[in-house]
Amino acid sequence: MTDLSVASTAKRTTFDMDAIRRDFPILSQQVNGKPLVYLDNGASAQKPEAVLDAMDRYYREMHSNVHRGAHTLGDRATSAFEGARETVRNFLNAESTREIIWTRGTTEAINLVANGLAPRLKAGDEILVSHMEHHANIVPWQMIAERTGAKVVPVQVTPEGELDLESFTSLLNEKTRVLAITHVSNVLGTVNPVAALIEQAKAHGIITLVDGAQAVPHYQPDVQALGCDFYVFSSHKLFGPTGIGVLYGKAQLLEEMPPYQGGGEMIERVSFERTTWNTLPYKFEAGTPAIAEAVGLGAAIDYLNGLDRSAMEAAETGLLERANQLVETVPGMEIIGTAKNKVPVISFKIAGLHPSDIGTLLDQQGIAIRTGHHCAMPLMDFYGVPGTARASFAFYNTLDEVDTLFTALQKVQRLFA
């Protein structure tokens, strides 16, 4: 990275919550006359000053299109852009930056893979997903199945919200071609045993994709240790900007897959007789990329690298434990998804209350949560509910904020009671 890139933050020796919260300027405001309590991190996390500064600096000091520019600004922009790709490679422990593809987000990354694998699929083949998937890891596979004659097969979940491992094992067969599985459920917070699932799938020669959108804010994945063929995530859930995401793919598979879009950087040579493709990773990056957003994502990862991740995970565990302890203080409250291994997410319902009413009344008290089906309608159908209220915590949330949430829920429950 150039000297105009944002340097990595020195690792803090302690987990100083006050200092961390100062890093996120949006958290200091008031909403509806109350201090903001932001508990919608599963939808989109907030951004530290380091990310805002990195993107501002890019636009002020080095903005230019990347690659092929015969001038200094072009060199600076390209260096920062490709430096961010190396930051992501290191974050995932991928073998090469050739395996790191920029996308618009998790959804586009899954669509890219699904379309790229379509030539491998035929009528009767099976694509294995789970019942807890986000729509983004169901619908693209359904579209490809309709095109190829393949079939999307769901792995069941238990009432506790864990993957039914017996169901998973029983569904593996000679027709299974793809396993597309979420690392962490956006609704339940369940952490799936993806390494073990991938190992079983690999024994059957199955291609594996892991949706890491909800995992990367809480854990740093090692794609080589996991052994997955593809791993996807979005920047905006990882405390970076919107509009950019990452597809990690094993180089051999990416080489074999056809391009997803045409034009711009993805070409090697164009003629009316024949067009040839660029090398990886550019083969899948048509058009002008989201340069500032890539720089912002790199800065977000640098920021996280400056934190004590074990202390961060411990703090998040404490938030979930406090929330679980306080559930009984709200009459009629029920948690949906009680898996043993969870990130700090609670989806819940309160007897007699509609989730949207809960969300509206909490917002009046300065508390931001999410309500609805959370882009997981099959899972809502499984639990027999139209939707839930969801509080999703990040490392910058405090135990006091958990208490504030439950005090507010008690007020809401009393109001309707």
Side-chain angles (χ1 to χ4, degrees), residues 79-113:
S79 181
F81 179 71
E82 293 300 335
R85 196 190 305 269
E86 167 59 23
T87 298
V88 172
R89 183 213 64 77
N90 184 67
F91 176 72
L92 294 176
N93 191 32
E95 285 190 4
S96 167
T97 53
R98 296 173 65 244
E99 299 179 320
I100 304 300
I101 312 296
W102 298 121
T103 66
R104 289 181 299 162
T106 303
T107 299
E108 185 179 59
I110 295 172
N111 276 273
L112 190 162
V113 174

Side-chain angles (χ1 to χ4, degrees), residues 38-49:
Y38 186 79
L39 304 179
D40 194 19
N41 297 285
S44 197
Q46 299 301 343
K47 322 306 172 193
E49 197 103 50

Side-chain angles (χ1 to χ4, degrees), residues 10-233:
K11 187 174 286 293
R12 292 180 169 127
T13 56
T14 60
F15 196 75
D16 185 339
M17 180 58 76
D18 289 337
I20 286 170
R21 286 183 65 84
R22 286 195 297 272
D23 291 338
F24 292 82
I26 200 170
L27 299 180
S28 63
Q29 68 177 291
Q30 290 200 338
V31 171
N32 293 322
K34 304 286 186 180
L36 170 64
V37 176
Y38 186 79
L39 304 179
D40 194 19
N41 297 285
S44 197
Q46 299 301 343
K47 322 306 172 193
E49 197 103 50
V51 170
L52 307 179
D53 289 347
M55 296 179 70
D56 180 72
R57 194 177 186 195
Y58 163 78
Y59 279 122
R60 290 180 183 277
E61 300 181 17
M62 67 182 89
H63 172 66
S64 171
N65 216 323
V66 294
H67 310 128
R68 300 193 304 277
H71 53 80
T72 298
L73 291 186
D75 289 342
R76 289 174 178 172
T78 299
S79 181
F81 179 71
E82 293 300 335
R85 196 190 305 269
E86 167 59 23
T87 298
V88 172
R89 183 213 64 77
N90 184 67
F91 176 72
L92 294 176
N93 191 32
E95 285 190 4
S96 167
T97 53
R98 296 173 65 244
E99 299 179 320
I100 304 300
I101 312 296
W102 298 121
T103 66
R104 289 181 299 162
T106 303
T107 299
E108 185 179 59
I110 295 172
N111 276 273
L112 190 162
V113 174
N115 280 271
L117 294 181
R120 294 170 174 259
L121 300 174
K122 62 183 186 304
D125 286 346
E126 295 181 353
I127 302 163
L128 211 57
V129 301
S130 83
H131 218 91
M132 66 175 73
E133 298 303 319
H134 189 283
H135 295 164
N137 203 26
I138 298 175
V139 178
W141 300 110
Q142 289 177 326
M143 295 169 70
I144 294 303
E146 184 175 353
R147 210 168 87 194
T148 62
K151 181 182 179 182
V152 176
V153 179
V155 180
Q156 298 303 309
V157 298
T158 68
E160 293 76 24
E162 297 178 331
L163 199 68
D164 187 330
L165 298 181
E166 289 186 7
S167 170
F168 172 76
T169 301
S170 70
L171 291 172
L172 295 176
N173 63 73
E174 68 280 358
K175 296 180 181 180
T176 311
R177 296 289 177 265
V178 178
L179 167 65
I181 192 79
T182 187
H183 198 161
V184 171
S185 166
N186 71 306
V187 176
L188 309 171
T190 303
V191 181
N192 283 322
V194 290
L197 302 179
I198 292 166
E199 184 178 8
Q200 281 188 263
K202 285 300 175 186
H204 290 77
I206 298 167
I207 293 174
T208 56
L209 176 143
V210 178
D211 175 357
Q214 297 292 332
V216 292
H218 307 286
Y219 308 114
Q220 183 171 347
D222 183 331
V223 293
Q224 293 192 65
L226 288 175
C228 56
D229 294 306
F230 302 100
Y231 196 98
V232 299
F233 70 91

Side-chain angles (χ1 to χ4, degrees), residues 302-325:
D302 283 342
Y303 176 83
L304 289 174
N305 287 341
L307 300 178
D308 183 333
R309 288 205 69 121
S310 61
M312 177 179 124
E313 290 177 19
E316 291 184 341
T317 298
L319 295 172
L320 181 60
E321 289 176 348
R322 176 69 67 88
N324 286 332
Q325 291 167 0

Side-chain angles (χ1 to χ4, degrees), residues 68 261-270 275-279 282-286:
R68 300 193 304 277
Q261 295 177 316
E265 193 68 24
M266 55 76 64
I267 62 93
E268 178 186 51
R269 188 178 188 281
V270 175
T275 294
T276 55
W277 316 133
N278 204 343
T279 57
Y282 312 113
K283 170 184 171 183
F284 294 102
E285 296 179 359

